[in-house]
Structures are given as C-alpha cells and as structure tokens.
Amino acid sequence: MPSFAPPFLLAFSFLTALYTVFLLLVRQGLRKVRAAPETQMPSDPPFVSILVAARNEEQTIGRCLDALRQQEYPKEKLEVIVVNDGSTDKTGKILEERATFHQNLRVLELPQKQTHNKAMALTHGVKAARGEVLLTTDADCVPSATWVGSMAAEFNSETALVAGPVIEHDHSRFIARLSKLEFLGLIATAAGLIGLNRPIICNGANLAFRKSAFEKAGGFGNGIYATEDEVLMNRIYERNLGAIRFAGKPAAIVKTDGPKNITDFLRQRIRWSSKRKTFDDRSILLFLVLLYLYFAATLAGAVLCFSYPFMLLPVGISFLLKCAVDASVLHEGGRLLDVPLRWSDFLIAELFHVPYIVVAAFLGQFKTLSWKGRTIR
C-alpha cells in the first residue's frame, strides 16, 4: 500500500460520513416540511406585488405574463411589476403591448447608461412595489394558477420569507430529463434545510418576502453576484428578521425550461456555483467547501482504482452510500411535490454527478461567463 493511502482513506471516510449524515438530515427536514399543517388563505389576503426582471426574453415573457394574469387571487390585491433591464430584442415592445390590456401590469425601465444585473433590476422593482408581500419569478417561468395564493397563505405575523418549489418542464430530451432530476434534488435540499431551520439555498424563480424584511436586511447587498436570492435569505436569517418557510405543496410550483443541451446545462450550473463571498456566515462557505472536497475525493478515488485495486472497496462502498442517500432525498422530494421519478434516469445521473459537480463548482469560482449579452465574473 503506498504511503499516501492511509491519510487519503481516513479523509475520504470522514468526507463520506459527512455527506451521508448531511443528506439524512435533509431527508428529516423534508419530512418536517411535509408534516407541517396545511396553511389557509386569510379572509383579508395581503396585497401582493409580483416582481419580474426581464432582459431579452421575447421568446418567453408572453407565456409568463399569461400565467400571472390567470392567477386565482383577488385582482384588487395584486400587481405585476416587470423591470425591463436594457433588453435589446422585442421584449420592450411586447411589454408595452401587454400593458395596454393587462390592467395590473406595470412596466419599469432601468436607465440605459448604467451597468445593471438582476439584483439591481429587482431592487428597482422593490422600491416601486405597493405590496408588503413581494413575490419574484423569472421571465422564462410559468407559475401555476394557484401560485400567488399558495405562497401568500404561508405568511403569518412571524413570517419574513417563503421559498417555493421550482421544477423543470417535462421533456423527452435525455439531458433535460437528467437536469430535471438533478434540479429536483437541489429544490429538495433547499426545502430540507429550511425544514431544519438552517436555510442555505433557495431559488429566486419562486421566492416571497416581506418588503420590510428586505429593507431591514439591506436587500441583496452589493448585488454583484448571481445568487442574489440566497444572499437575501441568509441576510434575513442571520439578522433574525422573521421566520423562513418552504411552501411544500404542488399548488405553489413554478415551472421553468430545462437546458437544451449539455453546454447550456454546464453554463447554468457553473453560474449557480459562483457562491464565494456571498454568505455573511462563513461557516456556510466552509461547509460547502467540505462538500466539494467529498466530490473531489470521490473522483480522485475512482481514478486511483485503475492503478491501485485496493481502492475499489472503499470507493465502491462510498458510491453505494451516495446512491442510497441521494435516492432517499429525491424520493421525499418527489412525494412532497407530487413529482414522479424515473429511477432508470437516476442510475445514469449518478454516474455523471460526481465529475460534473467537481468541474462546475471549480469553474464557477474562476471562469468569466457571458449571460444575455453581459459578463458575469
């Protein structure tokens, strides 16, 4: 046995145990979310402002606005604010046309001479919003007709922020099926952590928060990151500005398009992984680093198996544990949101999960990306 083996195997065993315990805790949190009492809309529902940041969304903004117009919520208690973030396609024209017959729609334009991003666009919308409860979604998303009511019902006097479920549309494309499965895992993890009262991740395509909590938290901070939703949630949590909940029911689902190909998939995940310097609590970043080291050690162990057959047993045991806990979280997430799972896709996805995480998370810390004509560093 080479000299590097004992310390590597010791570290590998620790990281495997950490990952296993983490996902078992996430499963426990998911069960708490599923067991939570059903919320009911109050007799006097709150005024809700829906915020959508749009940049070059001519292909999708129409269906998003159609879904928002069909919301089963009192129209006198609802407004839709779309912030046009310097679109260079027909998005602005579409919004102008829609505003003529969508009486609850307000269109805001950002000054063209400034450098913007999604966080700045949303902040512009927050300042103009009349509602105390604010909902955000993306211009390429389609909320269910019961979305606003389901999210608003989660707010009581103690609630500051509610994260909601986002799932990708069904598609026959193989990469889309694998992406939907992995995306469900991310949403399930977010829900489980919130169920444990230790929120870390969420998705801005389905988020609700009090305007007062946003202001007290300082909003999205400097707003230079691609994870403004998680920055806000963690600021509210760290400053103890109110309860954070997860709307764990199919009625609150927002659907979004999956990637069209492997390149789109990797670009999206790399952008999501750029979380450095976004958390006020440094312990979160440390924990995420340890999780990354687990994936890196697993990949390294798999490569070492070709030269050192004795590595087959520990790597094999670790991989089987990973499959088991991953499956348990996906199963609970599928039950929570009534999303059927294709276990044949799961087995294939597991083979690619480790190398994709290692590559995407690494590139997310250094690679400069272009998104909708803008550079994200």
Side-chain angles (χ1 to χ4, degrees), residues 105-117:
L105 174 63
R106 297 167 60 193
V107 179
L108 305 180
E109 299 282 345
L110 284 178
Q112 295 295 311
K113 295 182 180 180
Q114 298 180 17
T115 299
H116 300 124
N117 57 31

PDB file of all heavy atoms in Angstrom, residues 105-117:
ATOM      1  N   LEU A 105     -50.601  45.249 -14.706  1.00  0.00           N
ATOM      2  CA  LEU A 105     -49.201  45.206 -15.107  1.00  0.00           C
ATOM      3  C   LEU A 105     -48.592  46.594 -15.135  1.00  0.00           C
ATOM      4  O   LEU A 105     -49.142  47.524 -15.725  1.00  0.00           O
ATOM      5  CB  LEU A 105     -49.082  44.557 -16.497  1.00  0.00           C
ATOM      6  CG  LEU A 105     -47.688  44.569 -17.140  1.00  0.00           C
ATOM      7  CD1 LEU A 105     -46.690  43.770 -16.307  1.00  0.00           C
ATOM      8  CD2 LEU A 105     -47.766  44.029 -18.562  1.00  0.00           C
ATOM      9  N   ARG A 106     -47.433  46.716 -14.481  1.00  0.00           N
ATOM     10  CA  ARG A 106     -46.641  47.944 -14.531  1.00  0.00           C
ATOM     11  C   ARG A 106     -45.265  47.596 -15.108  1.00  0.00           C
ATOM     12  O   ARG A 106     -44.629  46.635 -14.684  1.00  0.00           O
ATOM     13  CB  ARG A 106     -46.471  48.549 -13.136  1.00  0.00           C
ATOM     14  CG  ARG A 106     -47.782  48.972 -12.484  1.00  0.00           C
ATOM     15  CD  ARG A 106     -47.567  49.245 -11.004  1.00  0.00           C
ATOM     16  NE  ARG A 106     -46.604  50.310 -10.772  1.00  0.00           N
ATOM     17  CZ  ARG A 106     -46.058  50.570  -9.580  1.00  0.00           C
ATOM     18  NH1 ARG A 106     -46.359  49.818  -8.534  1.00  0.00           N
ATOM     19  NH2 ARG A 106     -45.192  51.550  -9.437  1.00  0.00           N
ATOM     20  N   VAL A 107     -44.831  48.378 -16.068  1.00  0.00           N
ATOM     21  CA  VAL A 107     -43.532  48.148 -16.701  1.00  0.00           C
ATOM     22  C   VAL A 107     -42.586  49.276 -16.315  1.00  0.00           C
ATOM     23  O   VAL A 107     -42.893  50.451 -16.499  1.00  0.00           O
ATOM     24  CB  VAL A 107     -43.655  48.069 -18.236  1.00  0.00           C
ATOM     25  CG1 VAL A 107     -42.283  47.854 -18.863  1.00  0.00           C
ATOM     26  CG2 VAL A 107     -44.618  46.951 -18.636  1.00  0.00           C
ATOM     27  N   LEU A 108     -41.432  48.903 -15.764  1.00  0.00           N
ATOM     28  CA  LEU A 108     -40.408  49.867 -15.387  1.00  0.00           C
ATOM     29  C   LEU A 108     -39.185  49.672 -16.274  1.00  0.00           C
ATOM     30  O   LEU A 108     -38.843  48.548 -16.649  1.00  0.00           O
ATOM     31  CB  LEU A 108     -40.007  49.683 -13.919  1.00  0.00           C
ATOM     32  CG  LEU A 108     -41.124  49.729 -12.873  1.00  0.00           C
ATOM     33  CD1 LEU A 108     -40.540  49.532 -11.479  1.00  0.00           C
ATOM     34  CD2 LEU A 108     -41.893  51.041 -12.944  1.00  0.00           C
ATOM     35  N   GLU A 109     -38.535  50.765 -16.599  1.00  0.00           N
ATOM     36  CA  GLU A 109     -37.315  50.715 -17.405  1.00  0.00           C
ATOM     37  C   GLU A 109     -36.137  51.178 -16.559  1.00  0.00           C
ATOM     38  O   GLU A 109     -36.215  52.197 -15.861  1.00  0.00           O
ATOM     39  CB  GLU A 109     -37.447  51.631 -18.628  1.00  0.00           C
ATOM     40  CG  GLU A 109     -38.568  51.267 -19.572  1.00  0.00           C
ATOM     41  CD  GLU A 109     -38.212  50.095 -20.470  1.00  0.00           C
ATOM     42  OE1 GLU A 109     -37.011  49.758 -20.556  1.00  0.00           O
ATOM     43  OE2 GLU A 109     -39.142  49.531 -21.087  1.00  0.00           O
ATOM     44  N   LEU A 110     -35.037  50.447 -16.629  1.00  0.00           N
ATOM     45  CA  LEU A 110     -33.825  50.876 -15.951  1.00  0.00           C
ATOM     46  C   LEU A 110     -33.068  51.873 -16.825  1.00  0.00           C
ATOM     47  O   LEU A 110     -33.075  51.750 -18.046  1.00  0.00           O
ATOM     48  CB  LEU A 110     -32.926  49.679 -15.649  1.00  0.00           C
ATOM     49  CG  LEU A 110     -33.360  48.786 -14.483  1.00  0.00           C
ATOM     50  CD1 LEU A 110     -32.392  47.627 -14.341  1.00  0.00           C
ATOM     51  CD2 LEU A 110     -33.437  49.559 -13.191  1.00  0.00           C
ATOM     52  N   PRO A 111     -32.418  52.844 -16.214  1.00  0.00           N
ATOM     53  CA  PRO A 111     -31.628  53.794 -17.015  1.00  0.00           C
ATOM     54  C   PRO A 111     -30.597  53.064 -17.860  1.00  0.00           C
ATOM     55  O   PRO A 111     -29.888  52.175 -17.381  1.00  0.00           O
ATOM     56  CB  PRO A 111     -30.959  54.672 -15.945  1.00  0.00           C
ATOM     57  CG  PRO A 111     -31.849  54.553 -14.746  1.00  0.00           C
ATOM     58  CD  PRO A 111     -32.398  53.160 -14.782  1.00  0.00           C
ATOM     59  N   GLN A 112     -30.481  53.444 -19.103  1.00  0.00           N
ATOM     60  CA  GLN A 112     -29.620  52.720 -20.044  1.00  0.00           C
ATOM     61  C   GLN A 112     -28.139  52.978 -19.835  1.00  0.00           C
ATOM     62  O   GLN A 112     -27.305  52.193 -20.278  1.00  0.00           O
ATOM     63  CB  GLN A 112     -30.000  53.098 -21.474  1.00  0.00           C
ATOM     64  CG  GLN A 112     -31.391  52.652 -21.872  1.00  0.00           C
ATOM     65  CD  GLN A 112     -31.503  51.136 -21.902  1.00  0.00           C
ATOM     66  OE1 GLN A 112     -30.676  50.460 -22.486  1.00  0.00           O
ATOM     67  NE2 GLN A 112     -32.528  50.604 -21.258  1.00  0.00           N
ATOM     68  N   LYS A 113     -27.784  54.051 -19.171  1.00  0.00           N
ATOM     69  CA  LYS A 113     -26.370  54.418 -19.072  1.00  0.00           C
ATOM     70  C   LYS A 113     -25.646  53.708 -17.919  1.00  0.00           C
ATOM     71  O   LYS A 113     -24.453  53.903 -17.733  1.00  0.00           O
ATOM     72  CB  LYS A 113     -26.236  55.936 -18.909  1.00  0.00           C
ATOM     73  CG  LYS A 113     -26.726  56.722 -20.123  1.00  0.00           C
ATOM     74  CD  LYS A 113     -26.523  58.208 -19.922  1.00  0.00           C
ATOM     75  CE  LYS A 113     -27.011  58.993 -21.136  1.00  0.00           C
ATOM     76  NZ  LYS A 113     -26.819  60.451 -20.965  1.00  0.00           N
ATOM     77  N   GLN A 114     -26.364  52.919 -17.145  1.00  0.00           N
ATOM     78  CA  GLN A 114     -25.750  52.261 -16.009  1.00  0.00           C
ATOM     79  C   GLN A 114     -25.511  50.784 -16.315  1.00  0.00           C
ATOM     80  O   GLN A 114     -26.124  50.196 -17.184  1.00  0.00           O
ATOM     81  CB  GLN A 114     -26.654  52.383 -14.770  1.00  0.00           C
ATOM     82  CG  GLN A 114     -26.892  53.822 -14.331  1.00  0.00           C
ATOM     83  CD  GLN A 114     -27.786  53.881 -13.106  1.00  0.00           C
ATOM     84  OE1 GLN A 114     -27.967  52.885 -12.409  1.00  0.00           O
ATOM     85  NE2 GLN A 114     -28.341  55.043 -12.839  1.00  0.00           N
ATOM     86  N   THR A 115     -24.567  50.201 -15.561  1.00  0.00           N
ATOM     87  CA  THR A 115     -24.327  48.763 -15.647  1.00  0.00           C
ATOM     88  C   THR A 115     -25.225  48.077 -14.629  1.00  0.00           C
ATOM     89  O   THR A 115     -25.196  48.405 -13.447  1.00  0.00           O
ATOM     90  CB  THR A 115     -22.858  48.433 -15.339  1.00  0.00           C
ATOM     91  OG1 THR A 115     -22.036  49.088 -16.293  1.00  0.00           O
ATOM     92  CG2 THR A 115     -22.617  46.935 -15.412  1.00  0.00           C
ATOM     93  N   HIS A 116     -26.027  47.133 -15.099  1.00  0.00           N
ATOM     94  CA  HIS A 116     -27.011  46.517 -14.238  1.00  0.00           C
ATOM     95  C   HIS A 116     -26.807  45.010 -14.150  1.00  0.00           C
ATOM     96  O   HIS A 116     -26.025  44.419 -14.891  1.00  0.00           O
ATOM     97  CB  HIS A 116     -28.431  46.784 -14.767  1.00  0.00           C
ATOM     98  CG  HIS A 116     -28.770  48.234 -14.851  1.00  0.00           C
ATOM     99  ND1 HIS A 116     -29.188  48.825 -16.010  1.00  0.00           N
ATOM    100  CD2 HIS A 116     -28.730  49.214 -13.918  1.00  0.00           C
ATOM    101  CE1 HIS A 116     -29.421  50.111 -15.790  1.00  0.00           C
ATOM    102  NE2 HIS A 116     -29.135  50.369 -14.545  1.00  0.00           N
ATOM    103  N   ASN A 117     -27.542  44.407 -13.239  1.00  0.00           N
ATOM    104  CA  ASN A 117     -27.676  42.962 -13.168  1.00  0.00           C
ATOM    105  C   ASN A 117     -29.048  42.670 -12.592  1.00  0.00           C
ATOM    106  O   ASN A 117     -29.829  43.585 -12.301  1.00  0.00           O
ATOM    107  CB  ASN A 117     -26.548  42.320 -12.340  1.00  0.00           C
ATOM    108  CG  ASN A 117     -26.476  42.892 -10.932  1.00  0.00           C
ATOM    109  OD1 ASN A 117     -27.485  43.286 -10.353  1.00  0.00           O
ATOM    110  ND2 ASN A 117     -25.276  42.946 -10.379  1.00  0.00           N
TER     111      ASN A 117
END
